Amino acid sequence: MNTEQFKEEMKRQAYIVANSEMHQHMHEMAQRARTITVEMSNSYRTPEELRELFSKLTGQKVDDSFGIFPPFNADYGQNIKVGKNVFINSGCCFQDQGGIEIGDNVLIGQQVVVATLNHDLNPQKRANMLPAPVKIGNGVWVGAHATILPGVTIGDGAVIAAGAVVTKDVPANTVVGGVPAKIIKTIRESD
């Protein structure tokens, strides 16, 4: 299985059976991702070097407006898409096998976790996985230590409060917080 075939399977949200060809591909790609993320994080890198390494990780050139503070971890790397003027702060972990899409003008705080895989609830099938993509809209701010779970879409202009665990879609222009995250307020232009 190659990366394009795997990504097509993830778009279909194909069930991943432990030790299957898809699962083996994930492990191979994890080694590649670890090699690149360690290179990003093991010593000082200029913003240009970090953009180059992140582009290598994702297989797509990022815009010159992209910024990242290491350390950064990705489980797969090749299923992350970022827009323009995106900033990812230090300590973030992206489990991107199921797909992570980040819009323009997005701020992601320190130690944010974005997960795109769930394990099967059946104990006899627990090693099997169910992928679901995460989509983060334009102008979103994700606070430090937030966790975004598989299948969540965050609407444009939303704010995810620090420490929130986002289990459901977030409407545009709202602030959510808590565990599980709930709507705290609607954002108005005058806010």
Side-chain angles (χ1 to χ4, degrees):
M1 172 164 284
N2 65 36
T3 300
E4 291 311 312
Q5 292 169 325
F6 180 82
K7 286 164 68 172
E8 283 302 314
E9 291 295 308
M10 294 302 95
K11 281 182 190 173
R12 292 189 316 102
Q13 297 185 22
Y15 187 73
I16 303 167
V17 175
N19 299 315
S20 67
E21 185 180 9
M22 273 197 296
H23 195 229
Q24 293 303 319
H25 175 77
M26 286 171 41
H27 282 285
E28 291 166 14
M29 293 303 289
Q31 297 309 309
R32 176 191 175 277
R34 284 181 46 216
T35 300
I36 297 167
T37 58
V38 165
E39 188 176 349
M40 288 173 70
S41 304
N42 71 355
S43 66
Y44 174 78
R45 304 282 180 212
T46 66
E48 295 78 19
E49 290 171 324
L50 289 170
R51 281 192 291 276
E52 184 178 318
L53 286 165
F54 195 86
S55 295
K56 180 179 176 183
L57 175 69
T58 63
Q60 302 168 41
K61 184 173 179 352
V62 293
D63 190 77
D64 287 344
S65 61
F66 174 80
I68 188 167
F69 284 177
F72 174 79
N73 289 297
D75 285 0
Y76 188 78
Q78 295 278 306
N79 216 359
I80 302 170
K81 294 179 184 171
V82 296
K84 294 179 180 175
N85 200 33
V86 170
F87 176 71
I88 300 172
N89 214 325
S90 64
C92 290
C93 297
F94 285 12
Q95 181 197 54
D96 64 293
Q97 290 91 335
I100 297 172
E101 193 175 310
I102 301 170
D104 296 334
N105 304 308
V106 172
L107 300 172
I108 298 179
Q110 293 178 326
Q111 298 182 344
V112 167
V113 172
V114 180
T116 65
L117 294 175
N118 274 318
H119 285 275
D120 198 309
L121 292 177
N122 179 332
Q124 284 76 37
K125 298 178 179 180
R126 187 66 42 88
N128 299 345
M129 291 165 273
L130 303 140
V134 169
K135 295 181 181 174
I136 300 172
N138 296 321
V140 171
W141 171 23
V142 181
H145 297 272
T147 299
I148 302 168
L149 296 181
V152 168
T153 296
I154 300 171
D156 292 348
V159 175
I160 310 303
V165 177
V166 184
T167 61
K168 298 179 191 170
D169 289 355
V170 176
N173 300 310
T174 59
V175 178
V176 299
V179 179
K182 294 181 174 33
I183 295 174
I184 296 172
K185 71 182 275 184
T186 299
I187 300 169
R188 300 173 310 209
E189 291 288 324
S190 60
D191 283 344

